[in-house]
Amino acid sequence: MVVSAERERVNGMLTLITSLLFFAVGTVVLTSGIFTLQSNHKTPANRAFFALTAAIAIWSSGMAMSTTANDAATCEIFRRISAVGWSTVYAILLHFILIITGRAPSLRKWWFYLCLYLPAFFSVFAFAVPNPMNPFPYNLHQTAFGWTNTSQHNIWDWMFYAYYIGYALIGLLLLYRWGAKSSAPVTKKNSRIVRVSIIAALFLGTITDVVLSSVFSELPQMAPAIMLIPIISIYHVLQKDSFGITKGIDKKTSYMILFVSVLAYIILSALQVLLPEKSFAIASVVLDKSEIRGIFVQIQMFISIYLVLKGNRPGYIASLIINSISLVTAIGFLIRNKSTSSLPGIISYTGVLVIISLIRAYKEKNDDYIKRINTQTVREKFYSSVFKQAPVGIAIISGTEFTRNEEFDDLNINPAYERILCRTREELQNTDWTTITHPDDLATDLAYFDQFKKGKIDYYPREKRYIKPDGSVVWVDMLISRFASSNEKPGDHVCIITDITNRKNIEATLKYNSEHMLLTGLYNRGILEKTLESDALIPSSYKRALVSINLSAMHVLSLRYGNNYNQTLLRNIADSLKAYSNDKRVLFNTYEDRFVFYVKDYEDEKELTAFSERLLYTLSSYLYIHGIAVGIGILQIDKSTAHDTDELLTKLVNTSEIAAKNNGSGSNILFHSTELDIQITRENEIGQEIREIAEGIKIDRLYLHFQPILDVATNKVCKFEALARFDSEKHGFVPPLEFIPVAEKTNMLAPFGERIIILALRFLKKLKETGHDTIAVSINISIIQILENGFASRLLNMINDMHLNPENVEIELTESVFSIEREEINTVINELKAAGIKVLIDDFGTGYSSFARVSELDIDCLKIDKSFIDKLLVSKTEEAITGDIISMAHKLGHCVVAEGVEYEEQLSYLREHNCDMIQGYLISRPLDEDSALNLLKNNKK
């Protein structure tokens, strides 16, 4: 009997422990689900996780109650309740997996939900709902662990096995593919954690509830407790980053502390039920059943309070659940047994619920307060850090003095403010901003600040200058705004400054560059225009004039000596001209090679002329040695033209250009006049016609005459020089000395010259067709043409297209070719000579030409300028010079052509000194094409 009683007591303890374990599992799981749902109830993953924990809680609670049931019928009722949980848990688990793996869009279709939860519905129907198709779903028997069920392995059992194993495998496959496809390490890790936990639960659950329960029928089914494995894993991941779906759960909650505390609480509750009626003696203290129960209740209260304090919100939820269950149980015991023995417990549990609710409310308030304090501290640190690290200067100023208010501690003046002004905070606090403001900015600054103090404006921006301790200036972009403090004053303000010194320096540089010519440092045309426009608006009685110095001829120095030499010379000239500048004469550099004096309050034209002559004298010291022509144009400003700046400067430029061209006549100073306007108008009209000819419009206005060149030895015509003629529609015949410079000025010389080449080659083709295939044609080519890219190739293509012999083509270059770099011009000459074209130097003996320069160029022939031939009649000295020129040319391997031969005496001299060819009126004037052909015909006779 004693053994039997002892066994019953042990079995009762095992049954109770099993039941308590299930209760603890259900409580902890449900707590985690409720807390997760509370954290964000709108997130599908959180809702699915709560449903999963609720199903496990129903499963576990039903198992707990069925284990300790008084009879098989009661056990079956709780087993059916438990079946609602374990029948649905696998469908809910798969639902949760679909959400976290990104397959949620599929759930929007109603038929997908039907398919997903259909196996769970059949399982609930078979095992939870009494029905004739499965009237006896459970095979129950009493064991040492309470009531257990032995699987019958019928069709319903196998359907359930297929359902939970199939859903578990599908879930594992989805988790595996989710981790494999993702490149994020966190996702791969989360997939692995949940996958391993489900595999472990699936394996252990199958062993305990299927295999072992079939072999050892007395063993309890532990699947609800095993389901803690995936729940803990999922909750762990939710604590970390919620699968990247929603905000993470409270990371301070320990699942182990929660589980142990709940389990201890439930064990204490069970011990209260199992306490015997006898008293217990501990040392000399004797405790009866009610006292021990009171001790247990107090311990439970401490556990509840501990959960609230230690476990945060999950602990509070768990404490609320177990105390609520205990209170309901105690009230049920009171009603059923009609005994007041449970009344202290009811009061205690009620008090515990009140206490934990108050603690939780206080704790939330306290946490919120601490959070606000921490937030405020963080903000203060943040703002302090921003204040100290801000790249702009910030200072709190009261009136004109920098504040010393201790309320702001070290936030009165930030380091950037000190750095910009090069003054320490202490130095700034011992002065005021008016003493360090630049004097030129102070008046405006004080005017703005006065309006600010009077409340007329709430803020104002300014660009101003401060004086540094070393006396240098720092430019700042300043913003003044009101500052509200505990002892607010009208003048309290925040001053924010940004160092813009570099920007101001750049602006000053850009302004200087836009107003000056960088080469000379003089004001440019733009400033002259503004000055003229400004002065035109001011009534005045004194005279005004513009004196323009035209040095455009200096460009040849760039060709001869290089650009650096030319610019250095221009800079030196500008420095010399600055000496003439004063209050009445302001010097401007309107173009690189043109200067203008703006003269005010002069007497008359004589004063302007005298001033211009002094300028010419100064310029001659630089340019005479180079043979550079200087033109000075003078424009007196009258009331009729004062307001039209463009017209003034245009007339001035034209006047100075004409003055420069008049250098050959000895007149370098030219006043603008009406006659000059007429001349300029003529030039413009001629220029327009030249442009039309170059563009192929009315090309018959351009034609050629051909002057024969006689071979002295054979006394026969050997070639012709093609001479351009221009017949203007408005002005009639225009000489080459007039229209060629106009073509050059209007940048039409190259296309205009190409038109001349075509006409000359056509004449050469006529010579060939009429049997004069040994006669050559010489064509004048400008330096601009020959240096143009592709000139040689274009000329050769034109010769080839007309099937002409290049050896019958000659080009004449003016003596200005000697101002070009030798390598540059020789490259083109050599290409032409390689094709058979001969190269001649025209007007030899003038300007830049010399035998030293001739020897540098690979030419064929020299044409002696007419000025040497004219002097053969009057000067024997020149005879010797002309003879020497012929002799030297022959020694250099060049033939010689004498230009402008008009008398027999000249011809005799040239024949005597072995001149190769002559041309001039003695032979023939320039002829048109037909006359030239007739001349050749008569020459044969």
Side-chain angles (χ1 to χ4, degrees):
M1 292 290 292
V2 175
V3 174
S4 177
E6 181 65 22
R7 179 175 295 176
E8 286 182 5
R9 190 178 70 79
V10 172
N11 290 346
M13 290 296 294
L14 291 174
T15 300
L16 182 61
I17 291 171
T18 304
S19 178
L20 291 175
L21 178 63
F22 287 144
F23 267 124
V25 169
T27 302
V28 172
V29 168
L30 186 61
T31 299
S32 63
I34 293 172
F35 176 63
T36 302
L37 185 65
Q38 280 188 333
S39 67
N40 191 345
H41 67 277
K42 294 183 179 180
T43 304
N46 287 10
R47 294 201 298 266
F49 182 72
F50 170 72
L52 181 63
T53 58
I56 295 174
I58 294 171
W59 181 5
S60 186
S61 300
M63 290 292 292
M65 297 299 292
S66 68
T67 301
T68 58
N70 293 329
D71 51 48
T74 304
C75 177
E76 183 177 339
I77 292 172
F78 287 115
R79 281 280 176 169
R80 288 185 182 276
I81 293 173
S82 176
V84 175
W86 56 259
S87 295
T88 57
V89 70
Y90 298 102
I92 297 172
L93 178 61
L94 182 57
H95 188 168
F96 176 78
I97 292 172
L98 286 169
I99 292 172
I100 67 173
T101 56
R103 306 283 180 149
S106 303
L107 300 173
R108 295 174 184 171
K109 301 177 178 65
W110 66 268
W111 57 265
F112 192 88
Y113 272 105
L114 179 64
C115 295
L116 178 64
Y117 284 97
L118 191 61
F121 171 78
F122 281 122
S123 184
V124 170
F125 174 76
F127 297 100
V129 181
N131 63 85
M133 298 182 66
N134 190 22
F136 306 106
Y138 302 105
N139 183 17
L140 302 171
H141 54 277
Q142 187 79 39
T143 68
F145 298 96
W147 290 97
T148 60
N149 175 56
T150 304
S151 298
Q152 301 177 62
H153 301 304
N154 57 21
I155 184 64
W156 296 105
D157 287 342
W158 284 108
M159 285 177 62
F160 175 74
Y161 297 155
Y163 155 55
Y164 93 81
I165 293 174
Y167 270 41
L169 291 176
I170 292 172
L172 290 172
L173 178 61
L174 291 173
L175 287 168
Y176 172 76
R177 294 182 65 183
W178 177 49
K181 288 183 177 180
S182 176
S183 59
V186 174
T187 302
K188 292 183 179 293
K189 181 182 177 181
N190 291 342
S191 169
R192 187 167 56 253
I193 290 172
V194 179
R195 207 164 63 239
V196 170
S197 67
I198 292 175
I199 292 172
L202 182 65
F203 176 76
L204 293 175
T206 303
I207 294 297
T208 58
D209 286 29
V210 179
V211 179
L212 292 181
S213 67
S214 299
V215 178
F216 305 101
S217 59
E218 292 190 356
L219 291 177
Q221 294 171 318
M222 301 302 295
I226 293 171
M227 286 302 293
L228 269 177
I229 299 173
I231 293 299
I232 291 173
S233 300
I234 293 171
Y235 188 77
H236 169 76
V237 174
L238 285 171
Q239 282 184 316
K240 295 295 182 183
D241 66 349
S242 292
F243 299 100
I245 296 172
T246 183
K247 185 178 178 181
I249 310 302
D250 188 353
K251 297 177 175 58
K252 295 180 180 178
T253 302
S254 170
Y255 217 104
M256 185 57 67
I257 292 174
L258 190 66
F259 182 78
V260 171
S261 300
V262 170
L263 184 60
Y265 185 98
I266 294 175
I267 291 172
L268 290 172
S269 297
L271 290 175
Q272 292 180 52
V273 176
L274 297 175
L275 278 175
E277 295 296 330
K278 64 181 183 178
S279 300
F280 292 89
I282 301 174
S284 59
V285 180
V286 178
L287 302 174
D288 61 13
K289 181 178 180 180
S290 61
E291 291 172 333
I292 295 174
R293 186 179 285 117
I295 293 172
F296 286 171
V297 171
Q298 294 301 314
I299 295 174
Q300 286 178 317
M301 184 176 70
F302 288 134
I303 291 173
S304 300
I305 294 172
Y306 172 79
L307 283 173
V308 175
L309 295 175
K310 182 69 176 176
N312 294 318
R313 184 175 289 276
Y316 168 70
I317 295 171
S319 180
L320 190 65
I321 291 172
I322 56 180
N323 280 283
S324 297
I325 293 173
S326 297
L327 178 61
V328 171
T329 304
I331 293 172
F333 183 83
L334 176 67
I335 295 171
R336 188 179 63 181
N337 298 324
K338 297 180 180 179
S339 170
T340 59
S341 61
S342 62
L343 191 58
I346 292 173
I347 296 172
S348 296
Y349 293 134
T350 303
V352 168
L353 287 172
V354 173
I355 290 171
I356 63 175
S357 296
L358 291 174
I359 291 174
R360 181 60 193 170
Y362 170 78
K363 193 169 184 295
E364 285 183 347
K365 252 184 208 180
N366 187 58
D367 288 347
D368 185 57
Y369 178 70
I370 292 172
K371 183 178 180 181
R372 287 203 304 270
I373 292 176
N374 290 337
T375 302
Q376 184 64 25
T377 303
V378 169
R379 284 178 179 173
E380 287 179 0
K381 288 182 178 178
F382 173 76
Y383 292 136
S384 176
S385 177
V386 170
F387 182 81
K388 293 177 180 178
Q389 297 181 38
V392 297
I394 306 172
I396 300 170
I397 304 175
S398 179
T400 61
E401 296 180 350
F402 293 91
T403 181
R404 296 173 180 269
N405 196 334
E406 294 182 359
E407 176 185 349
F408 311 118
D409 190 22
D410 59 345
L411 301 182
N412 297 317
I413 300 171
N414 76 341
Y417 201 95
E418 300 176 59
R419 184 174 61 254
I420 292 171
L421 299 187
C422 295
R423 298 174 189 270
T424 64
R425 184 172 57 178
E426 291 74 18
E427 289 174 334
L428 290 169
Q429 288 175 339
N430 289 324
T431 184
D432 61 60
W433 57 261
T434 61
T435 61
I436 60 175
T437 298
H438 194 281
D440 294 343
D441 298 335
L442 185 57
T444 306
D445 221 354
L446 288 173
Y448 272 105
F449 188 64
D450 184 60
Q451 295 184 56
F452 177 79
K453 284 195 301 181
K454 291 178 180 178
K456 294 181 179 179
I457 55 176
D458 293 325
Y459 69 92
Y460 62 91
R462 279 216 63 210
E463 289 184 357
K464 62 177 287 186
R465 288 163 287 181
Y466 283 109
I467 306 297
K468 292 183 180 180
D470 62 1
S472 61
V473 171
V474 56
W475 272 98
V476 298
D477 185 0
M478 180 181 72
L479 176 65
I480 298 297
S481 180
R482 296 201 180 280
F483 179 75
S485 63
S486 57
N487 54 345
E488 184 177 351
K489 299 177 184 178
D492 288 355
H493 62 275
V494 177
C495 176
I496 302 173
I497 60 174
T498 305
D499 189 345
I500 58 171
T501 305
N502 288 338
R503 194 194 83 192
K504 283 293 184 179
N505 290 338
I506 293 171
E507 288 176 356
T509 301
L510 292 175
K511 184 175 184 295
Y512 180 88
N513 292 344
S514 68
E515 295 178 347
H516 296 77
M517 294 293 285
L518 299 184
L519 178 64
T520 61
L522 294 170
Y523 281 123
N524 58 21
R525 178 188 170 109
I527 299 300
L528 175 58
E529 290 177 352
K530 291 179 181 178
T531 304
L532 291 172
E533 290 169 358
S534 176
D535 287 355
L537 301 175
I538 303 173
S540 62
S541 58
Y542 57 78
K543 296 180 180 180
R544 297 183 296 138
L546 297 172
V547 178
S548 176
I549 303 169
N550 189 324
L551 302 178
S552 58
M554 283 183 63
H555 75 277
V556 298
L557 298 182
S558 295
L559 300 174
R560 191 187 306 173
Y561 305 117
N563 190 56
N564 288 339
Y565 178 86
N566 193 40
Q567 289 195 339
T568 301
L569 186 59
L570 273 170
R571 193 181 298 113
N572 294 336
I573 290 172
D575 291 339
S576 296
L577 292 176
K578 288 175 186 177
Y580 293 97
S581 186
N582 54 38
D583 293 340
K584 294 184 178 182
R585 293 192 296 263
V586 183
L587 179 61
F588 297 85
N589 191 182
T590 54
Y591 297 99
E592 182 180 4
D593 50 14
R594 296 182 188 183
F595 299 89
V596 174
F597 275 99
Y598 179 29
V599 182
K600 300 179 182 179
D601 196 16
Y602 64 93
E603 290 292 335
D604 50 24
E605 289 187 6
K606 290 182 179 180
E607 182 180 340
L608 294 176
T609 303
F611 173 62
S612 299
E613 287 175 348
R614 292 200 301 273
L615 294 178
L616 285 176
Y617 178 78
T618 299
L619 293 170
S620 65
S621 63
Y622 292 100
L623 302 176
Y624 178 78
I625 191 174
H626 299 293
I628 300 296
V630 179
I632 295 183
I634 303 173
L635 176 66
Q636 299 181 82
I637 303 173
D638 55 35
K639 293 181 180 180
S640 62
T641 58
H643 295 279
D644 194 340
T645 305
D646 286 338
E647 184 181 356
L648 277 176
L649 296 180
T650 300
K651 289 180 177 180
L652 183 67
V653 169
N654 292 332
T655 303
S656 65
E657 285 183 352
I658 293 174
K661 292 175 185 175
N662 289 341
N663 183 56
S665 64
S667 177
N668 301 94
I669 301 172
L670 182 64
F671 280 84
H672 179 269
S673 63
T674 304
E675 293 76 12
L676 198 62
D677 285 337
I678 295 172
Q679 182 180 342
I680 293 169
T681 301
R682 174 183 169 92
E683 280 190 6
N684 292 337
E685 291 172 349
I686 291 173
Q688 179 60 34
E689 290 192 65
I690 289 174
R691 184 177 289 104
E692 290 175 356
I693 292 171
E695 293 172 356
I697 302 172
K698 297 182 180 179
I699 58 176
D700 57 329
R701 286 174 288 180
L702 174 68
Y703 60 95
L704 299 184
H705 276 175
F706 303 92
Q707 186 169 27
I709 298 175
L710 186 73
D711 186 324
V712 176
T714 63
N715 203 34
K716 291 184 179 293
V717 174
C718 59
K719 63 180 76 173
F720 289 93
E721 179 182 0
L723 301 172
R725 297 291 184 261
F726 175 51
D727 186 11
S728 169
E729 287 184 336
K730 188 170 185 179
H731 302 288
F733 177 77
V734 180
L737 289 177
E738 183 179 359
F739 72 76
I740 293 298
V742 173
E744 184 175 357
K745 180 180 176 181
T746 56
N747 295 322
M748 287 290 112
L749 190 57
F752 192 74
E754 191 164 313
R755 191 64 65 177
I756 293 172
I757 293 172
I758 292 172
L759 293 176
L761 293 179
R762 286 177 182 172
F763 175 68
L764 183 61
K765 188 172 184 180
K766 279 188 178 181
L767 290 175
K768 178 182 177 182
E769 291 171 350
T770 55
H772 305 293
D773 51 5
T774 60
I775 303 297
V777 173
S778 178
I779 309 169
N780 288 283
I781 303 295
S782 72
I783 295 301
I784 294 174
Q785 283 178 271
I786 199 169
L787 292 180
E788 194 176 24
N789 288 335
F791 168 78
S793 59
R794 286 198 305 276
L795 176 60
L796 292 174
N797 287 336
M798 285 189 283
I799 293 172
N800 293 331
D801 290 343
M802 294 186 186
H803 306 291
L804 300 174
N805 185 0
E807 294 182 359
N808 290 338
V809 179
E810 297 180 356
I811 63 170
E812 294 187 18
L813 303 176
T814 62
E815 47 79 33
S816 60
V817 73
F818 295 110
S819 65
I820 309 300
E821 286 293 330
R822 178 181 58 188
E823 293 79 5
E824 188 176 5
I825 190 65
N826 270 335
T827 301
V828 184
I829 289 175
N830 291 337
E831 185 176 354
L832 295 173
K833 290 194 65 177
I837 297 174
K838 294 180 176 62
V839 180
L840 292 74
I841 297 297
D842 197 13
D843 301 328
F844 181 79
T846 63
Y848 306 102
S849 59
S850 68
F851 280 110
R853 298 305 306 272
V854 166
S855 63
E856 296 174 355
L857 300 180
D858 188 12
I859 60 171
D860 297 287
C861 193
L862 297 179
K863 297 187 73 173
I864 300 175
D865 188 70
K866 183 178 183 297
S867 60
F868 288 92
I869 306 304
D870 288 341
K871 292 176 182 179
L872 290 177
L873 300 174
V874 296
S875 175
K876 293 184 178 180
T877 304
E878 292 298 328
E879 290 177 8
I881 293 175
T882 304
D884 289 340
I885 291 174
I886 296 171
S887 175
M888 287 293 294
H890 286 161
K891 289 178 180 178
L892 291 173
H894 306 316
C895 66
V896 178
V897 179
E899 294 183 293
V901 179
E902 298 178 359
Y903 300 98
E904 288 290 343
E905 294 86 342
Q906 295 168 331
L907 175 59
S908 298
Y909 175 88
L910 294 171
R911 182 178 287 115
E912 182 182 343
H913 289 82
N914 299 318
C915 183
D916 300 292
M917 289 165 276
I918 62 170
Q919 95 180 75
Y921 286 180
L922 180 63
I923 308 302
S924 172
R925 289 177 175 273
L927 307 171
D928 58 32
E929 288 187 8
D930 294 336
S931 299
L933 292 173
N934 288 331
L935 176 67
L936 290 176
K937 189 184 297 183
N938 295 330
N939 194 42
K940 280 186 177 181
K941 296 178 181 178

